[in-house]
Amino acid sequence: MAYGTLRAFLKALEKEGDLRRIRVEVDPYLEIGEITDRVNKAGGPALLFENVRGSSMPLAMNVFGTDRRMLKALGLKSYQEIGDKIGGLLKPELPQGFSGLREAFGKLGSVAHIPPKKVSDAPCQEVVLKGDEVDLDTIPALHTWPQDGGAFFNLGLTHTKDPETGVRNLGLYRLQRHDKRTIGMHWQIHKDSRNHYQVAARRGERLPVAIAFGCPPAVTYASTAPLPGDIDEYLFAGFVQGKRVEMVDCQTVPLQVPAEAEVVLEGWLEPGVMRDEGPFGDHTGFYTPMEPFPALTIDCVTMRAKPMLQSIVVGRPPTEDGPLGKATERFFLPLLKIIVPDIVDYDLPEAGGFHNCAIVSIDKKYPKHAQKVMHAIWGAHMMSLTKLIVVVDADCDVHDYQEVAWRAFGNVDYARDLSVVEGPVDHLDHSSYQQFWGGKAGIDATRKLPEEGYTRDGGWPEMVASDPATAARVTRRWKQYGL
């Protein structure tokens, strides 16, 4: 079972010696970011900064910074557990597309334990501040990198709903603190919350927004998952943690937030109210430039009596994004196979920002099978943003980068096996020569068939491998060799 609160998880980590308390005063301007980045890259523990300059709130960092902690937070022994559970829902009848996941959930006898549950009293509303009582400067925001355009909240879970359908969305977006009552909403072009804002603006309406910090781990993870707009992130969070997420009505906006959150910001976005946001040292490892984004006025802050905040440092990998991204890679393999059933396995390298590169293995059956898979992936929901796809045979371990490199570097005729196309790219992609779209490549690193034009004598050669009988004999005698 996943941990039901951030506090319970931190307590368990401290008991195991996997959390360190920093009691000396630390500066949210550059210092906390530098400390956290060093500890994360060294594979170190979660951190709880108890004395943050300018705030009375402790700040939890690097909470999901290792695979061990990520799995522990979600109550898992391996990422494959959830992948297998999702895969089990999709059999024997595979639903059509991602939206079929909702119907698949309905097959569970325990479905009543998954949807969120409304409660009337919540720890996150023990303290309520409204109007002029609101002061965002008392909540620790991080200025992580020298050229950042200001201080940012990096792990605020943003709640909106479609003004026409009422379907809610939970997303994770960076939030720049402009002043005591205003934050910038970095809603990229492909994000659901941006679509909600545009619908409201077209209707001449303001959009209600609620931002929750320090949520139960499964909820925080669900906010990062690339779910289609018609699947409720709270349904998915309940599925992951094995129990319903308790929700409470906000004080001033018609939205619900997790009852066990630490801090919640509530406000309304007026149509057309924009402010310059950024620059920001992002997960790409580069600064994203200043752009105008919607500016949210905070009318109400609710919190626990003694709240803490949770945040994250992003930048050049590896960072805390790594375990979060790996969880998504493993969880969503069964869903990707619905759209592209040819896939045996895949890997999304952290060095590629996860969505920029995909290594895919297939059981090749016919000429240009690899190219078919490439184009299918480029048409699969958020996988459309993938810039590089490397397709290998099923006998290649996609998680062994040395093996993949051996296949892709020296066993490819790039005049024939390289596909170059154009399509949508991430909003944050600085390498494309114009924003939002650019070049993509697919590398066919599979064995080539005669029907694909590989007509050299003898056909595609066999890979070097040990004689099985000799290998078994050497294994039996290994101790005799004194090695």
Side-chain angles (χ1 to χ4, degrees), residues 307-326:
M308 68 173 66
L309 211 72
Q310 183 182 2
S311 192
I312 189 173
V313 165
V314 297
R316 295 178 63 177
T319 65
E320 196 170 343
D321 281 345
L324 288 164
K326 183 57 66 173

Side-chain angles (χ1 to χ4, degrees), residues 51-367:
N51 189 359
V52 180
R53 183 173 299 171
S55 176
S56 61
M57 293 186 192
L59 179 63
M61 301 290 297
N62 201 34
V63 175
F64 306 130
T66 64
D67 288 326
R68 193 195 82 85
R69 286 201 295 277
M70 185 77 250
L71 291 168
K72 182 178 179 64
L74 301 181
L76 303 173
K77 294 181 179 179
S78 73
Y79 294 126
Q80 196 62 37
E81 286 185 44
I82 290 291
D84 289 344
K85 190 175 179 181
I86 291 174
L89 293 178
L90 307 179
K91 297 176 181 178
E93 296 179 0
L94 292 178
Q96 296 298 311
F98 276 106
S99 61
L101 183 58
R102 177 180 288 126
E103 286 73 24
F105 280 142
K107 298 176 183 177
L108 284 182
S110 58
V111 71
H113 301 294
I114 295 177
K117 174 185 178 182
K118 182 180 176 180
V119 297
S120 56
D121 296 315
C124 70
Q125 294 180 346
E126 291 172 343
V127 176
V128 178
L129 305 173
K130 295 183 178 181
D132 292 338
E133 295 177 310
V134 174
D135 184 358
L136 300 179
D137 288 341
T138 64
I139 302 174
L142 296 181
H143 190 129
T144 303
W145 305 108
Q147 296 179 39
D148 283 353
F152 292 80
F153 301 111
N154 294 336
L155 209 60
L157 278 54
T158 301
H159 300 70
T160 60
K161 64 180 179 181
D162 189 304
E164 295 179 338
T165 67
V167 174
R168 71 175 155 209
N169 180 66
L170 174 66
L172 181 61
Y173 317 105
R174 75 182 192 227
L175 308 163
Q176 183 171 356
R177 185 177 63 193
H178 289 310
D179 55 48
K180 291 184 177 182
R181 290 191 57 187
T182 312
I183 56 177
M185 312 301 296
H186 189 263
W187 286 345
Q188 301 166 35
I189 189 172
H190 303 108
K191 303 300 183 182
D192 291 327
S193 288
R194 177 189 174 104
N195 293 335
H196 294 174
Y197 175 68
Q198 290 177 325
V199 170
R202 187 179 68 244
R203 293 161 57 100
E205 300 172 356
R206 56 182 187 162
L207 183 74
V209 180
I211 303 165
F213 297 90
C215 297
V219 174
T220 299
Y221 168 69
S223 73
T224 73
L227 293 169
D230 63 346
I231 296 180
D232 185 5
E233 284 83 5
Y234 281 100
L235 181 69
F236 183 64
F239 174 70
V240 170
Q241 70 178 15
K243 61 180 179 180
R244 302 169 73 178
V245 179
E246 293 189 345
M247 309 284 289
V248 67
D249 288 338
C250 290
Q251 295 282 311
T252 62
V253 295
L255 297 168
Q256 293 182 338
V257 292
E260 294 290 350
E262 294 285 333
V263 179
V264 177
L265 313 181
E266 302 177 9
W268 295 83
L269 269 176
E270 299 289 342
V273 177
M274 312 283 280
R275 287 182 63 168
D276 286 339
E277 190 266 3
F280 179 74
D282 220 314
H283 69 268
T284 61
F286 293 85
Y287 289 98
T288 52
M290 182 182 295
E291 286 186 77
F293 280 97
L296 174 67
T297 298
I298 303 301
D299 299 316
C300 179
V301 176
T302 72
M303 63 183 77
R304 291 174 180 259
K306 293 183 178 180
M308 68 173 66
L309 211 72
Q310 183 182 2
S311 192
I312 189 173
V313 165
V314 297
R316 295 178 63 177
T319 65
E320 196 170 343
D321 281 345
L324 288 164
K326 183 57 66 173
T328 291
E329 175 202 289
R330 292 295 90 195
F331 289 2
F332 284 83
L333 176 60
L335 301 181
L336 185 58
K337 284 184 174 182
I338 294 174
I339 299 175
V340 194
D342 314 71
I343 292 175
V344 174
D345 199 359
Y346 80 133
D347 185 280
L348 305 176
E350 183 181 0
F354 294 106
H355 63 268
N356 284 329
C357 178
I359 303 166
V360 180
S361 61
I362 65 171
D363 184 8
K364 186 172 180 176
K365 291 182 169 61
Y366 48 80

Side-chain angles (χ1 to χ4, degrees), residues 470-479 481:
T470 303
R473 184 171 69 254
V474 168
T475 298
R476 290 194 303 269
R477 298 192 60 195
W478 195 255
K479 290 183 179 180
Y481 305 143

